Amino acid sequence: TFVLLPFMIIYLGKIGMETTQIGWIIGCGWILGSIAGPVIGYFADRFGTRFVYFCVMFLWLLSFIGFAYVDNFYLLVLMSLLNGVGRTSIESLLLTRMYQSAKASEQSNVSKLNYMVSNAGIMIGPFIGTELSKHYGVEVFIGSALIFLLFLLSDAFFQVKKVREVDKEIISLTATLSALSKDKVLLWYILAGTIFAIVFIQIDSTLPLALEAANQFQWYSPLSLVNALIAVVITTPLMNWSEKRSISSMMFLSVLLMAVGFLCFLNNWIPFYFLGFIFISLAEILFYPLWRESIANLNPSLQATYLGTTNFSYIGYFIGSALGAELFVWWGMGFTFLFFAILSLTAFL
């Protein structure tokens, strides 16, 4: 995933897509994934997480093959929609499988481990994607599909024993979705996550465009490495510290750090970009693991379904990618990043 994000931006430009089209293609993948999340979570609770995981992985694999062979804008949008289902659903499915294999008292440690492992991919992904974009094209998509196929096949040989079972609520999909819509605490969590996602996606969508326009795209990989390295090193001590504080105070601190990070981008000076990434990394560490774990604990009997609702926040990635590209064309870099700095503060409201 993190290999393809910067690679896709450059690749789409090479095949003739305009800046706004790139923003729509990158962003629209989050639409179907955000809507499908609770439905996929429901099927995971009903028919088993592992079975649904295999189905989603296979769909994700097919989308990579599609990217390799189409160059029409509308077909690329379709491939992005299919890819979004896999990209947005697989994390909640994997997290559910990990929670099921750990005791309730160890759930916080699972969240930390999951977050650190994910950031290991974030650490090397953008660097690899940037380098591959200089030398390769469709081969990257074919290679990604083959890697996913290998990963999918290898998973069949591992049996994970569940150590924690909960009583499942066997109710219809319609009743489940109705119950979710009436859970006001859940809705507020989703709203906060959506606003945070709108702002956070800018470092993967608008920022590469801004750096490329300023002939400084070569700095994107080092910036991403700093972001991921800080996340890997600081996650455990920072989360241990945050566990002793209230959720509301940590949410406020996270959006404040995010706003300060984007204000650092107003000065087109690379050292300030690195400083901004440090603030954004701290904001990300404080927000996402605590946010997902809090949602998972709202209803343990429908844990996969509730974790699936976190996908609704991914529509923020669509809005953020498309809006960021449009604002960048209209306003330029300075006013665009100022707008998102201000917007990030509303996540706490």
Side-chain angles (χ1 to χ4, degrees), residues 33-84:
S34 65
I35 298 173
V39 178
I40 291 175
Y42 170 82
F43 286 127
D45 281 324
R46 189 71 182 270
F47 302 110
T49 307
R50 190 173 190 180
F51 170 73
V52 176
Y53 166 80
F54 270 75
C55 294
V56 171
M57 281 288 289
F58 186 72
L59 181 63
W60 199 5
L61 181 157
L62 291 179
S63 71
F64 290 127
I65 298 175
F67 275 127
Y69 293 102
V70 301
D71 57 5
N72 176 271
F73 172 73
Y74 297 103
L75 290 178
L76 287 169
V77 167
L78 177 60
M79 291 301 104
S80 183
L81 290 171
L82 294 177
N83 187 271

Short mmCIF file of all heavy atoms in Angstrom, two decimals, residues 33-84:
data_model
loop_
_atom_site.label_atom_id
_atom_site.label_comp_id
_atom_site.label_asym_id
_atom_site.label_seq_id
_atom_site.Cartn_x
_atom_site.Cartn_y
_atom_site.Cartn_z
N GLY A 33 -14.62 1.59 -0.06
CA GLY A 33 -14.05 0.95 1.13
C GLY A 33 -14.68 1.46 2.41
O GLY A 33 -14.94 0.69 3.34
N SER A 34 -14.96 2.75 2.46
CA SER A 34 -15.56 3.31 3.67
C SER A 34 -16.98 2.81 3.88
O SER A 34 -17.41 2.55 5.00
CB SER A 34 -15.55 4.84 3.59
OG SER A 34 -16.38 5.30 2.54
N ILE A 35 -17.72 2.65 2.78
CA ILE A 35 -19.10 2.15 2.88
C ILE A 35 -19.12 0.66 3.17
O ILE A 35 -19.96 0.16 3.92
CB ILE A 35 -19.87 2.46 1.58
CG1 ILE A 35 -19.93 3.97 1.34
CG2 ILE A 35 -21.26 1.86 1.60
CD1 ILE A 35 -20.51 4.36 0.01
N ALA A 36 -18.18 -0.08 2.55
CA ALA A 36 -18.17 -1.53 2.68
C ALA A 36 -17.68 -2.02 4.03
O ALA A 36 -17.96 -3.16 4.42
CB ALA A 36 -17.29 -2.14 1.57
N GLY A 37 -16.96 -1.17 4.78
CA GLY A 37 -16.36 -1.60 6.04
C GLY A 37 -17.29 -2.29 7.02
O GLY A 37 -17.04 -3.42 7.44
N PRO A 38 -18.40 -1.64 7.42
CA PRO A 38 -19.31 -2.28 8.37
C PRO A 38 -19.93 -3.56 7.83
O PRO A 38 -20.17 -4.51 8.57
CB PRO A 38 -20.37 -1.20 8.61
CG PRO A 38 -19.71 0.07 8.25
CD PRO A 38 -18.79 -0.26 7.12
N VAL A 39 -20.22 -3.59 6.51
CA VAL A 39 -20.80 -4.79 5.90
C VAL A 39 -19.82 -5.95 5.95
O VAL A 39 -20.17 -7.07 6.32
CB VAL A 39 -21.24 -4.50 4.45
CG1 VAL A 39 -21.80 -5.77 3.81
CG2 VAL A 39 -22.26 -3.38 4.41
N ILE A 40 -18.57 -5.68 5.60
CA ILE A 40 -17.54 -6.72 5.65
C ILE A 40 -17.32 -7.15 7.09
O ILE A 40 -17.14 -8.35 7.38
CB ILE A 40 -16.24 -6.20 5.01
CG1 ILE A 40 -16.44 -6.04 3.51
CG2 ILE A 40 -15.07 -7.15 5.29
CD1 ILE A 40 -15.27 -5.43 2.78
N GLY A 41 -17.34 -6.19 8.03
CA GLY A 41 -17.21 -6.54 9.45
C GLY A 41 -18.35 -7.42 9.92
O GLY A 41 -18.14 -8.37 10.70
N TYR A 42 -19.56 -7.14 9.45
CA TYR A 42 -20.72 -7.97 9.80
C TYR A 42 -20.54 -9.41 9.32
O TYR A 42 -20.77 -10.37 10.07
CB TYR A 42 -21.99 -7.37 9.20
CG TYR A 42 -23.20 -8.28 9.31
CD1 TYR A 42 -23.94 -8.36 10.48
CD2 TYR A 42 -23.58 -9.09 8.23
CE1 TYR A 42 -25.03 -9.20 10.59
CE2 TYR A 42 -24.68 -9.92 8.31
CZ TYR A 42 -25.40 -9.98 9.49
OH TYR A 42 -26.47 -10.82 9.59
N PHE A 43 -20.11 -9.56 8.05
CA PHE A 43 -19.89 -10.91 7.52
C PHE A 43 -18.77 -11.63 8.26
O PHE A 43 -18.81 -12.85 8.44
CB PHE A 43 -19.59 -10.85 6.03
CG PHE A 43 -20.78 -10.54 5.17
CD1 PHE A 43 -20.75 -9.50 4.25
CD2 PHE A 43 -21.95 -11.28 5.29
CE1 PHE A 43 -21.85 -9.21 3.47
CE2 PHE A 43 -23.06 -11.00 4.51
CZ PHE A 43 -23.02 -9.95 3.60
N ALA A 44 -17.75 -10.87 8.72
CA ALA A 44 -16.67 -11.48 9.49
C ALA A 44 -17.18 -11.99 10.82
O ALA A 44 -16.81 -13.09 11.27
CB ALA A 44 -15.54 -10.46 9.70
N ASP A 45 -18.06 -11.21 11.48
CA ASP A 45 -18.65 -11.67 12.74
C ASP A 45 -19.58 -12.86 12.51
O ASP A 45 -19.69 -13.75 13.36
CB ASP A 45 -19.45 -10.52 13.39
CG ASP A 45 -18.56 -9.53 14.12
OD1 ASP A 45 -17.55 -9.97 14.70
OD2 ASP A 45 -18.86 -8.33 14.08
N ARG A 46 -20.24 -12.89 11.35
CA ARG A 46 -21.25 -13.91 11.09
C ARG A 46 -20.63 -15.21 10.55
O ARG A 46 -21.02 -16.31 10.98
CB ARG A 46 -22.27 -13.36 10.07
CG ARG A 46 -23.50 -14.24 9.88
CD ARG A 46 -24.40 -14.21 11.08
NE ARG A 46 -25.54 -15.07 10.92
CZ ARG A 46 -26.71 -14.69 10.39
NH1 ARG A 46 -26.86 -13.44 9.97
NH2 ARG A 46 -27.72 -15.53 10.31
N PHE A 47 -19.67 -15.09 9.63
CA PHE A 47 -19.16 -16.28 8.95
C PHE A 47 -17.69 -16.60 9.26
O PHE A 47 -17.17 -17.60 8.75
CB PHE A 47 -19.32 -16.11 7.43
CG PHE A 47 -20.73 -15.87 7.00
CD1 PHE A 47 -21.12 -14.63 6.52
CD2 PHE A 47 -21.69 -16.87 7.09
CE1 PHE A 47 -22.43 -14.39 6.13
CE2 PHE A 47 -23.00 -16.64 6.70
CZ PHE A 47 -23.38 -15.40 6.22
N GLY A 48 -17.05 -15.77 10.04
CA GLY A 48 -15.66 -16.04 10.39
C GLY A 48 -14.72 -15.03 9.77
O GLY A 48 -14.80 -14.74 8.56
N THR A 49 -13.84 -14.48 10.59
CA THR A 49 -12.94 -13.43 10.12
C THR A 49 -11.98 -13.94 9.05
O THR A 49 -11.69 -13.24 8.07
CB THR A 49 -12.14 -12.87 11.30
OG1 THR A 49 -13.04 -12.47 12.34
CG2 THR A 49 -11.32 -11.66 10.88
N ARG A 50 -11.48 -15.16 9.22
CA ARG A 50 -10.47 -15.66 8.30
C ARG A 50 -11.03 -15.85 6.89
O ARG A 50 -10.38 -15.51 5.90
CB ARG A 50 -9.91 -16.98 8.82
CG ARG A 50 -8.68 -17.44 8.04
CD ARG A 50 -8.05 -18.64 8.66
NE ARG A 50 -6.74 -18.92 8.04
CZ ARG A 50 -5.96 -19.93 8.40
NH1 ARG A 50 -6.34 -20.74 9.36
NH2 ARG A 50 -4.81 -20.10 7.79
N PHE A 51 -12.24 -16.39 6.77
CA PHE A 51 -12.86 -16.61 5.47
C PHE A 51 -13.06 -15.28 4.74
O PHE A 51 -12.72 -15.15 3.55
CB PHE A 51 -14.19 -17.33 5.64
CG PHE A 51 -15.02 -17.39 4.38
CD1 PHE A 51 -14.66 -18.24 3.34
CD2 PHE A 51 -16.14 -16.59 4.22
CE1 PHE A 51 -15.41 -18.29 2.16
CE2 PHE A 51 -16.90 -16.63 3.07
CZ PHE A 51 -16.53 -17.49 2.04
N VAL A 52 -13.60 -14.30 5.44
CA VAL A 52 -13.84 -13.00 4.83
C VAL A 52 -12.52 -12.34 4.48
O VAL A 52 -12.39 -11.68 3.43
CB VAL A 52 -14.66 -12.10 5.78
CG1 VAL A 52 -14.85 -10.70 5.20
CG2 VAL A 52 -16.01 -12.74 6.06
N TYR A 53 -11.52 -12.52 5.31
CA TYR A 53 -10.18 -11.99 5.05
C TYR A 53 -9.63 -12.51 3.72
O TYR A 53 -9.10 -11.75 2.91
CB TYR A 53 -9.26 -12.38 6.20
CG TYR A 53 -7.78 -12.20 5.93
CD1 TYR A 53 -7.17 -10.96 6.04
CD2 TYR A 53 -6.98 -13.30 5.60
CE1 TYR A 53 -5.82 -10.81 5.80
CE2 TYR A 53 -5.63 -13.16 5.36
CZ TYR A 53 -5.06 -11.91 5.47
OH TYR A 53 -3.71 -11.77 5.23
N PHE A 54 -9.78 -13.81 3.46
CA PHE A 54 -9.31 -14.40 2.21
C PHE A 54 -10.03 -13.79 1.01
O PHE A 54 -9.42 -13.51 -0.03
CB PHE A 54 -9.49 -15.92 2.23
CG PHE A 54 -8.31 -16.66 2.77
CD1 PHE A 54 -8.04 -16.67 4.12
CD2 PHE A 54 -7.44 -17.35 1.93
CE1 PHE A 54 -6.95 -17.35 4.64
CE2 PHE A 54 -6.34 -18.03 2.43
CZ PHE A 54 -6.09 -18.03 3.78
N CYS A 55 -11.34 -13.60 1.14
CA CYS A 55 -12.12 -13.05 0.03
C CYS A 55 -11.69 -11.62 -0.29
O CYS A 55 -11.53 -11.25 -1.47
CB CYS A 55 -13.61 -13.06 0.38
SG CYS A 55 -14.32 -14.72 0.54
N VAL A 56 -11.50 -10.82 0.74
CA VAL A 56 -11.10 -9.42 0.54
C VAL A 56 -9.70 -9.34 -0.06
O VAL A 56 -9.44 -8.53 -0.96
CB VAL A 56 -11.17 -8.65 1.88
CG1 VAL A 56 -10.54 -7.27 1.74
CG2 VAL A 56 -12.61 -8.53 2.34
N MET A 57 -8.79 -10.17 0.42
CA MET A 57 -7.43 -10.18 -0.11
C MET A 57 -7.42 -10.53 -1.60
O MET A 57 -6.66 -9.95 -2.39
CB MET A 57 -6.57 -11.18 0.66
CG MET A 57 -6.07 -10.67 2.00
SD MET A 57 -4.78 -9.41 1.82
CE MET A 57 -3.40 -10.39 1.25
N PHE A 58 -8.26 -11.47 -2.00
CA PHE A 58 -8.31 -11.87 -3.40
C PHE A 58 -8.84 -10.73 -4.28
O PHE A 58 -8.32 -10.47 -5.37
CB PHE A 58 -9.18 -13.11 -3.57
CG PHE A 58 -9.18 -13.68 -4.96
CD1 PHE A 58 -8.07 -14.34 -5.45
CD2 PHE A 58 -10.29 -13.53 -5.79
CE1 PHE A 58 -8.05 -14.85 -6.74
CE2 PHE A 58 -10.28 -14.04 -7.08
CZ PHE A 58 -9.16 -14.70 -7.55
N LEU A 59 -9.84 -10.02 -3.79
CA LEU A 59 -10.38 -8.87 -4.52
C LEU A 59 -9.32 -7.78 -4.66
O LEU A 59 -9.17 -7.16 -5.72
CB LEU A 59 -11.61 -8.32 -3.81
CG LEU A 59 -12.31 -7.12 -4.45
CD1 LEU A 59 -12.86 -7.48 -5.82
CD2 LEU A 59 -13.43 -6.60 -3.55
N TRP A 60 -8.57 -7.56 -3.61
CA TRP A 60 -7.50 -6.56 -3.62
C TRP A 60 -6.44 -6.93 -4.65
O TRP A 60 -5.95 -6.09 -5.40
CB TRP A 60 -6.89 -6.50 -2.21
CG TRP A 60 -6.11 -5.25 -1.92
CD1 TRP A 60 -5.97 -4.15 -2.72
CD2 TRP A 60 -5.38 -4.98 -0.73
NE1 TRP A 60 -5.18 -3.21 -2.11
CE2 TRP A 60 -4.81 -3.68 -0.88
CE3 TRP A 60 -5.15 -5.68 0.45
CZ2 TRP A 60 -4.01 -3.10 0.11
CZ3 TRP A 60 -4.37 -5.09 1.43
CH2 TRP A 60 -3.81 -3.83 1.26
N LEU A 61 -6.11 -8.20 -4.70
CA LEU A 61 -5.12 -8.71 -5.66
C LEU A 61 -5.56 -8.44 -7.10
O LEU A 61 -4.76 -8.00 -7.94
CB LEU A 61 -4.90 -10.20 -5.42
CG LEU A 61 -3.91 -10.99 -6.24
CD1 LEU A 61 -3.48 -12.24 -5.46
CD2 LEU A 61 -4.47 -11.43 -7.58
N LEU A 62 -6.83 -8.68 -7.39
CA LEU A 62 -7.35 -8.48 -8.75
C LEU A 62 -7.26 -7.01 -9.17
O LEU A 62 -7.04 -6.71 -10.35
CB LEU A 62 -8.80 -8.96 -8.83
CG LEU A 62 -9.03 -10.47 -8.73
CD1 LEU A 62 -10.52 -10.77 -8.80
CD2 LEU A 62 -8.28 -11.21 -9.83
N SER A 63 -7.43 -6.10 -8.22
CA SER A 63 -7.37 -4.68 -8.57
C SER A 63 -5.98 -4.27 -9.05
O SER A 63 -5.86 -3.41 -9.93
CB SER A 63 -7.79 -3.82 -7.37
OG SER A 63 -6.80 -3.83 -6.36
N PHE A 64 -4.93 -4.89 -8.50
CA PHE A 64 -3.58 -4.57 -8.96
C PHE A 64 -3.38 -4.99 -10.42
O PHE A 64 -2.74 -4.28 -11.20
CB PHE A 64 -2.54 -5.28 -8.08
CG PHE A 64 -2.47 -4.73 -6.68
CD1 PHE A 64 -2.59 -5.56 -5.58
CD2 PHE A 64 -2.28 -3.38 -6.47
CE1 PHE A 64 -2.51 -5.06 -4.31
CE2 PHE A 64 -2.20 -2.86 -5.19
CZ PHE A 64 -2.32 -3.70 -4.10
N ILE A 65 -3.93 -6.15 -10.76
CA ILE A 65 -3.83 -6.61 -12.14
C ILE A 65 -4.56 -5.64 -13.07
O ILE A 65 -4.10 -5.32 -14.17
CB ILE A 65 -4.40 -8.04 -12.27
CG1 ILE A 65 -3.59 -9.02 -11.41
CG2 ILE A 65 -4.41 -8.49 -13.73
CD1 ILE A 65 -4.14 -10.42 -11.37
N GLY A 66 -5.72 -5.14 -12.62
CA GLY A 66 -6.47 -4.18 -13.41
C GLY A 66 -5.69 -2.90 -13.66
O GLY A 66 -5.68 -2.36 -14.77
N PHE A 67 -5.02 -2.38 -12.62
CA PHE A 67 -4.23 -1.16 -12.76
C PHE A 67 -3.15 -1.31 -13.84
O PHE A 67 -2.79 -0.34 -14.52
CB PHE A 67 -3.56 -0.80 -11.44
CG PHE A 67 -4.43 0.00 -10.51
CD1 PHE A 67 -4.64 -0.42 -9.20
CD2 PHE A 67 -5.03 1.18 -10.94
CE1 PHE A 67 -5.44 0.31 -8.34
CE2 PHE A 67 -5.82 1.93 -10.08
CZ PHE A 67 -6.04 1.49 -8.78
N ALA A 68 -2.63 -2.53 -13.98
CA ALA A 68 -1.53 -2.76 -14.92
C ALA A 68 -1.98 -2.68 -16.37
O ALA A 68 -1.15 -2.44 -17.26
CB ALA A 68 -0.89 -4.12 -14.65
N TYR A 69 -3.28 -2.86 -16.63
CA TYR A 69 -3.72 -3.00 -18.02
C TYR A 69 -4.72 -1.96 -18.47
O TYR A 69 -5.22 -2.04 -19.60
CB TYR A 69 -4.32 -4.40 -18.23
CG TYR A 69 -3.29 -5.50 -18.11
CD1 TYR A 69 -3.19 -6.28 -16.97
CD2 TYR A 69 -2.39 -5.73 -19.15
CE1 TYR A 69 -2.23 -7.27 -16.86
CE2 TYR A 69 -1.42 -6.72 -19.06
CZ TYR A 69 -1.35 -7.49 -17.90
OH TYR A 69 -0.39 -8.47 -17.80
N VAL A 70 -5.06 -0.97 -17.65
CA VAL A 70 -6.01 0.06 -18.09
C VAL A 70 -5.35 1.44 -17.99
O VAL A 70 -4.50 1.67 -17.12
CB VAL A 70 -7.31 0.04 -17.25
CG1 VAL A 70 -7.99 -1.30 -17.36
CG2 VAL A 70 -7.03 0.38 -15.78
N ASP A 71 -5.74 2.33 -18.90
CA ASP A 71 -5.24 3.70 -18.86
C ASP A 71 -6.35 4.72 -19.09
O ASP A 71 -6.08 5.90 -19.29
CB ASP A 71 -4.12 3.90 -19.88
CG ASP A 71 -4.56 3.57 -21.31
OD1 ASP A 71 -5.76 3.27 -21.51
OD2 ASP A 71 -3.70 3.58 -22.21
N ASN A 72 -7.59 4.25 -19.06
CA ASN A 72 -8.75 5.13 -19.19
C ASN A 72 -9.12 5.66 -17.80
O ASN A 72 -9.11 4.92 -16.82
CB ASN A 72 -9.92 4.34 -19.80
CG ASN A 72 -11.19 5.17 -19.86
OD1 ASN A 72 -11.98 5.19 -18.92
ND2 ASN A 72 -11.39 5.86 -20.98
N PHE A 73 -9.46 6.94 -17.72
CA PHE A 73 -9.75 7.57 -16.43
C PHE A 73 -10.85 6.84 -15.67
O PHE A 73 -10.72 6.56 -14.47
CB PHE A 73 -10.13 9.03 -16.64
CG PHE A 73 -10.64 9.72 -15.40
CD1 PHE A 73 -9.78 10.05 -14.37
CD2 PHE A 73 -11.99 10.02 -15.27
CE1 PHE A 73 -10.25 10.68 -13.22
CE2 PHE A 73 -12.47 10.64 -14.13
CZ PHE A 73 -11.60 10.98 -13.10
N TYR A 74 -11.93 6.52 -16.34
CA TYR A 74 -13.07 5.90 -15.66
C TYR A 74 -12.77 4.47 -15.23
O TYR A 74 -13.23 4.02 -14.16
CB TYR A 74 -14.31 5.95 -16.57
CG TYR A 74 -14.74 7.37 -16.87
CD1 TYR A 74 -14.46 7.95 -18.11
CD2 TYR A 74 -15.39 8.12 -15.91
CE1 TYR A 74 -14.83 9.27 -18.38
CE2 TYR A 74 -15.78 9.44 -16.18
CZ TYR A 74 -15.49 10.00 -17.41
OH TYR A 74 -15.85 11.29 -17.66
N LEU A 75 -11.99 3.74 -16.04
CA LEU A 75 -11.60 2.39 -15.63
C LEU A 75 -10.62 2.45 -14.47
O LEU A 75 -10.65 1.59 -13.58
CB LEU A 75 -10.98 1.65 -16.82
CG LEU A 75 -11.94 1.27 -17.94
CD1 LEU A 75 -11.19 0.59 -19.08
CD2 LEU A 75 -13.04 0.35 -17.42
N LEU A 76 -9.76 3.45 -14.46
CA LEU A 76 -8.84 3.63 -13.33
C LEU A 76 -9.61 3.95 -12.05
O LEU A 76 -9.25 3.50 -10.96
CB LEU A 76 -7.83 4.73 -13.64
CG LEU A 76 -6.74 4.37 -14.66
CD1 LEU A 76 -5.97 5.62 -15.08
CD2 LEU A 76 -5.78 3.32 -14.08
N VAL A 77 -10.67 4.74 -12.18
CA VAL A 77 -11.53 5.02 -11.03
C VAL A 77 -12.16 3.73 -10.51
O VAL A 77 -12.22 3.48 -9.29
CB VAL A 77 -12.63 6.04 -11.41
CG1 VAL A 77 -13.72 6.10 -10.33
CG2 VAL A 77 -12.03 7.42 -11.61
N LEU A 78 -12.63 2.87 -11.44
CA LEU A 78 -13.22 1.59 -11.05
C LEU A 78 -12.21 0.71 -10.32
O LEU A 78 -12.52 0.11 -9.29
CB LEU A 78 -13.75 0.86 -12.29
CG LEU A 78 -14.34 -0.54 -12.05
CD1 LEU A 78 -15.52 -0.46 -11.09
CD2 LEU A 78 -14.75 -1.19 -13.37
N MET A 79 -10.98 0.64 -10.85
CA MET A 79 -9.94 -0.14 -10.20
C MET A 79 -9.62 0.42 -8.82
O MET A 79 -9.37 -0.32 -7.86
CB MET A 79 -8.66 -0.16 -11.05
CG MET A 79 -8.76 -0.94 -12.36
SD MET A 79 -9.17 -2.68 -12.10
CE MET A 79 -10.91 -2.67 -12.60
N SER A 80 -9.63 1.74 -8.71
CA SER A 80 -9.36 2.38 -7.43
C SER A 80 -10.46 2.07 -6.41
O SER A 80 -10.17 1.89 -5.22
CB SER A 80 -9.23 3.90 -7.62
OG SER A 80 -8.89 4.53 -6.41
N LEU A 81 -11.71 2.01 -6.88
CA LEU A 81 -12.81 1.64 -5.99
C LEU A 81 -12.64 0.23 -5.45
O LEU A 81 -12.82 -0.02 -4.25
CB LEU A 81 -14.14 1.78 -6.72
CG LEU A 81 -14.60 3.20 -7.06
CD1 LEU A 81 -15.82 3.16 -7.96
CD2 LEU A 81 -14.90 3.99 -5.79
N LEU A 82 -12.29 -0.71 -6.35
CA LEU A 82 -12.08 -2.10 -5.92
C LEU A 82 -10.88 -2.19 -4.97
O LEU A 82 -10.92 -2.89 -3.96
CB LEU A 82 -11.86 -3.00 -7.13
CG LEU A 82 -13.05 -3.18 -8.08
CD1 LEU A 82 -12.65 -4.03 -9.28
CD2 LEU A 82 -14.22 -3.81 -7.36
N ASN A 83 -9.82 -1.47 -5.31
CA ASN A 83 -8.63 -1.47 -4.48
C ASN A 83 -8.94 -0.90 -3.10
O ASN A 83 -8.39 -1.36 -2.10
CB ASN A 83 -7.53 -0.65 -5.17
CG ASN A 83 -6.21 -0.74 -4.46
OD1 ASN A 83 -5.91 0.05 -3.56
ND2 ASN A 83 -5.39 -1.70 -4.86
N GLY A 84 -9.83 0.09 -3.07
CA GLY A 84 -10.18 0.70 -1.79
C GLY A 84 -10.86 -0.25 -0.83
O GLY A 84 -10.69 -0.14 0.38
#
